[in-house]
Amino acid sequence: MHININFPGLEGVILKEFRSFEDRVEIFVEMPVYTHRCPRCGTRTKKIHDYRIQKIRHLKLFERPSFLFYRKRRYKCIKCAKNFYENNTIVDRYQRFSKEWNQAVNVRSVKASTFLEVSIQYGCSVSTVIRRFDTLAVRELQDTEELPTVISMDEYKGDTDAGKYQLIIADGESREPLDILPNRRKKTIVDYLCKYGRNVGIVVMDMNWSFKEAVKNVLDRPIIVADHFHFCRYIYQALDKVRIRIQDTFNDYDRKRCKKMRHIFYKDSSQLNEKQLWYLNRYLSMSEELELAYYLKEEYCRWFKQAKENGAEKIKETKDGLHKFYKLVEDSGIEEFINAIQTFKNWEIEILNSFVFPYNNGFLEGINNLTKVMKRNAHGFKNYKRSRARILLKHKYKEIGDHIGS
């Protein structure tokens, strides 16, 4: 008796019988008879040789495991007498899982937190899920052929068998991750750029000296852009070091309170409320050096804001303002700020480039944060190739829902 119902993934299949049990669902199916072409001689035939029943694992139905009992048909060539199985939309050759099941596991192996979670959900072993994922990675991730004109690079702590840190390369314009290098060593970067970076003209990076040297050694007069966050933090770190040093001279109450209210020193002074302003003025009045350090931070913020407004048209004005800030720091004699501006001097061209070109690594920091969440949920990835595939496929499939059809 045929069942007049269509299940997803079983369109065009004849449903012969449906059995429901407490712990499982069994569906008996077969394909309609139609003319096949012999794989040996190409002769068209509809002659049936025999049948066999194949048990196939399918997706859950009503939270119960479901199994397909596929009445698999063999045809016989009327010319060369070859026997061959029919074409079907249910299961691939040498498989015990349905095509729909494999598709769902492929999606979930990328979107889920761990492979163990997928194996529990779909009622299979972890190794089965890993094999599906590895096959998907080989099929979907193609080797880099050529890097774009603008690239961004940043390191993250991966702790894989390839090294403690990995380096992620992304398209600076489309903001899509392109590749992940096994480590952050200069030789690795040089070899990669020699192979794929012939068209690269602009590189956005943090202030890592080995990155800078690798790029300069390979590319022909590259434009290096320092990320805003990475050079701004040197000023805030200098202020923080001064605050820690000064607050140690306060009495116990003010030392603890100053530490608790440390955020008021970094926040924009125009955004402080009345209470925060009171504490700020109190602690600045207790130390002339701390007051001077805070003044330098405010001057830097004014320069930075003006530099963004100036853009590429007034870059000379931005450069002059930066040199005036250098003079203020040198006149202050505060060692922490003097050390900070020495870094600024070493990276001055790259810092000024950040106000000329509209590129930054903010999106890459977001990708790294998501990578850290993935790594934490999975309790780490030791296999570098699998870790690389998880990260790249996660972003490639970010528009796809967690389930088939979403």
Side-chain angles (χ1 to χ4, degrees), residues 170-387:
D171 189 322
E173 295 183 321
S174 69
R175 301 190 169 188
E176 291 295 324
L178 301 172
D179 208 344
I180 296 174
L181 305 190
N183 56 66
R184 59 178 180 176
R185 289 193 286 270
K186 179 179 175 181
K187 184 180 184 305
T188 303
I189 302 172
V190 167
D191 292 344
Y192 186 80
L193 291 178
C194 283
K195 191 173 182 180
Y196 304 113
R198 53 186 172 273
N199 291 330
V200 175
I202 301 176
V203 182
V204 188
M205 65 173 70
D206 61 16
M207 297 163 79
N208 185 307
W209 195 260
S210 64
F211 294 177
K212 182 178 179 180
E213 288 299 304
V215 170
K216 284 190 171 182
N217 286 351
V218 177
L219 304 181
D220 181 25
R221 301 179 66 183
I223 297 172
I224 300 176
V225 179
D227 182 58
H228 285 171
F229 167 79
H230 289 92
F231 63 79
C232 287
R233 69 176 180 172
Y234 281 94
I235 301 300
Y236 286 89
Q237 287 174 349
L239 175 61
D240 200 43
K241 290 176 182 177
V242 174
R243 175 191 60 79
I244 293 172
R245 176 165 56 81
I246 297 299
Q247 76 182 17
D248 285 343
T249 65
F250 294 167
N251 59 60
D252 284 346
Y253 173 81
D254 283 320
R255 177 174 56 81
K256 294 177 182 178
R257 194 64 182 171
C258 183
K259 180 180 179 181
K260 187 175 181 180
M261 299 293 293
R262 60 187 179 274
H263 61 277
I264 63 177
F265 294 95
Y266 320 128
K267 195 173 180 180
D268 189 338
S269 57
S270 62
Q271 297 181 4
L272 297 176
N273 59 36
E274 186 175 344
K275 178 182 177 181
Q276 292 170 333
L277 280 172
W278 185 89
Y279 275 107
L280 177 64
N281 293 329
R282 171 179 171 80
Y283 294 123
L284 293 184
S285 65
M286 293 174 66
S287 169
E288 291 184 1
E289 187 176 11
L290 182 58
E291 184 178 15
L292 181 55
Y294 181 79
Y295 168 75
L296 292 176
K297 188 271 293 186
E298 289 289 284
E299 285 299 308
Y300 172 79
C301 289
R302 276 190 280 272
W303 168 81
F304 184 78
K305 183 178 179 180
Q306 185 62 50
K308 290 199 293 184
E309 293 175 357
N310 289 343
E313 294 76 15
K314 298 181 180 179
I315 194 63
K316 179 66 167 60
E317 183 179 324
T318 299
K319 182 179 180 181
D320 293 340
L322 184 58
H323 289 173
K324 290 178 182 177
F325 177 70
Y326 291 164
K327 186 67 168 57
L328 285 176
V329 171
E330 290 165 354
D331 291 343
S332 72
I334 300 177
E335 183 178 354
E336 290 84 354
F337 277 86
I338 291 175
N339 292 336
I341 66 166
Q342 184 58 51
T343 303
F344 271 63
K345 291 177 180 178
N346 294 337
W347 288 80
E348 184 172 303
I349 295 176
E350 293 75 18
I351 290 172
L352 293 175
N353 282 341
S354 71
F355 300 105
V356 175
F357 300 94
Y359 304 114
N360 63 72
N361 269 2
F363 74 96
L364 205 50
E365 295 295 336
I367 292 175
N368 285 344
N369 285 338
L370 180 58
T371 299
K372 292 174 185 176
V373 173
M374 291 170 55
K375 176 187 164 188
R376 183 169 62 250
N377 289 340
H379 305 289
F381 293 102
K382 286 302 177 186
N383 187 305
Y384 156 70
K385 290 184 178 179
R386 199 165 287 141
S387 170

